[in-house]
Amino acid sequence: MGYGFKIIVEGDYACFTRPELKVERVSYDVPTPGALEGMLKSVYWKPAIRYVIDKIIVFQEIDFANIRRNEVKDKVLLSAVKNQMKQKGGDPCIYTSQSRSQRAAMVLKKVKYGIEFHFELTGLKNNREDDGENKHYNILKRRLEKGQWFRTPCLGCSEFPVKRIELVDAFDTEMISSRIKEMGDVDLGYMSYEVQFEDRGKPINGDWENPKFSDRAKTLYYRPHMIEGVIDVQKYREGLRC
């Protein structure tokens, strides 16, 4: 295992969308490892490292709220952006008044999670001798201690930002809600583990200066148990399935 960390994350709302219910968003009861990896990449990320979630602790009672949100149903076309940059015309904008649609969502509220994770070297863009594990560890540790990030970390959806991230030495399991502990051993069923892209983060054209990545991907699933609020991700990812 590479360098490890323990953090506590809090937020007012979270939504870890079930892929089978994507039109009307419905959150899983607990975070997916892929969503937490994405959150960590907002704090610090380089092609040379990948995050691995080892354990998730659910401190607060699982509580849902039903809301309605305005979403845009279109995406900005890359071709339109390129034409605008080359002054060839085109409109890379999305007009919300024309593209807006209202969707229902069932989201989590008042969440607090303990996340134990480590990172591993990928071997990508890691040619310098000083670009090893120790360097990445120190940068990530400093950013977590100071509460720094280069984009706002979110809990599943960008509309639900992280309220607080705290680096800790150990988790206080006494802080886990009594209702969570009373649930005992909970089979969470098959959950999304992560979305794995075919290119594995490496440009398919082999050019890091002008990279072209693949859009082809598959979702990996696993079947974890939450035992008195603790999900041992490291144990259950041995049974990953496509």
Side-chain angles (χ1 to χ4, degrees):
M1 181 183 295
Y3 288 96
F5 293 89
K6 294 182 178 69
I7 60 173
I8 291 177
V9 176
E10 294 183 61
D12 293 327
Y13 295 96
C15 183
F16 308 103
T17 308
R18 293 177 177 269
E20 70 273 23
L21 299 170
K22 196 171 182 180
V23 174
E24 303 293 336
R25 295 183 186 275
V26 178
S27 176
Y28 283 115
D29 290 5
V30 299
T32 63
L36 298 180
E37 289 173 22
M39 181 197 70
L40 292 169
K41 288 178 181 178
S42 296
V43 176
Y44 176 68
W45 178 81
K46 293 287 183 182
I49 66 172
R50 64 182 291 267
Y51 291 110
V52 182
I53 307 300
D54 297 310
K55 188 177 292 183
I56 301 170
I57 297 178
V58 182
F59 284 102
Q60 301 281 52
E61 181 182 353
I62 298 170
D63 194 7
F64 286 95
N66 289 296
I67 62 174
R68 298 193 72 84
R69 304 186 305 161
N70 289 326
E71 298 186 8
V72 291
K73 54 188 177 182
D74 299 310
K75 295 181 180 179
V76 174
L77 295 176
L78 179 60
S79 59
V81 175
K82 288 182 175 179
N83 287 335
Q84 183 78 0
M85 292 172 67
K86 295 176 181 178
Q87 298 182 346
K88 293 183 178 180
D91 187 359
C93 300
I94 291 179
Y95 299 95
T96 56
S97 59
Q98 301 173 9
S99 181
R100 182 172 54 214
S101 62
Q102 195 172 76
R103 302 281 179 83
M106 192 165 79
V107 304
L108 296 162
K109 62 180 183 179
K110 296 180 181 179
V111 299
K112 181 178 179 180
Y113 303 116
I115 304 163
E116 183 176 332
F117 69 95
H118 71 276
F119 68 83
E120 299 172 347
L121 295 181
T122 63
L124 300 177
K125 294 194 72 175
N126 193 34
N127 300 321
R128 294 176 296 177
E129 292 182 1
D130 64 340
D131 202 18
E133 285 187 328
N134 194 54
K135 174 186 174 181
H136 296 299
Y137 170 82
N138 288 325
I139 294 174
L140 178 57
K141 183 173 183 291
R142 182 171 64 249
R143 294 180 72 82
L144 288 171
E145 288 174 339
K146 295 183 177 181
Q148 297 175 324
W149 49 72
F150 67 91
R151 66 183 179 195
T152 305
C154 63
L155 292 164
C157 294
S158 59
E159 300 97 311
F160 305 136
V162 170
K163 192 175 181 179
R164 183 174 73 96
I165 297 180
E166 180 185 358
L167 181 65
V168 297
D169 295 324
F171 297 123
D172 183 2
T173 55
E174 294 299 318
M175 299 296 293
I176 299 175
S177 166
S178 59
R179 291 198 176 186
I180 291 290
K181 288 187 174 181
E182 288 170 2
M183 294 171 70
D185 186 340
V186 180
D187 183 350
L188 296 170
Y190 281 105
M191 291 182 60
S192 169
Y193 180 81
E194 67 177 5
V195 176
Q196 188 179 88
F197 284 87
E198 190 177 80
D199 56 37
R200 300 297 182 94
K202 186 176 180 179
I204 56 178
N205 61 352
D207 184 0
W208 282 102
E209 297 300 324
N210 298 286
K212 182 179 180 181
F213 296 97
S214 172
D215 291 330
R216 299 185 63 181
K218 61 183 178 181
T219 302
L220 300 181
Y221 294 87
Y222 78 136
R223 188 167 187 170
H225 285 236
M226 181 176 70
I227 302 176
E228 295 186 354
V230 180
I231 304 170
D232 189 346
V233 179
Q234 185 176 12
K235 173 183 176 181
Y236 294 108
R237 67 166 164 258
E238 296 175 358
L240 286 176
R241 297 187 180 184
C242 292

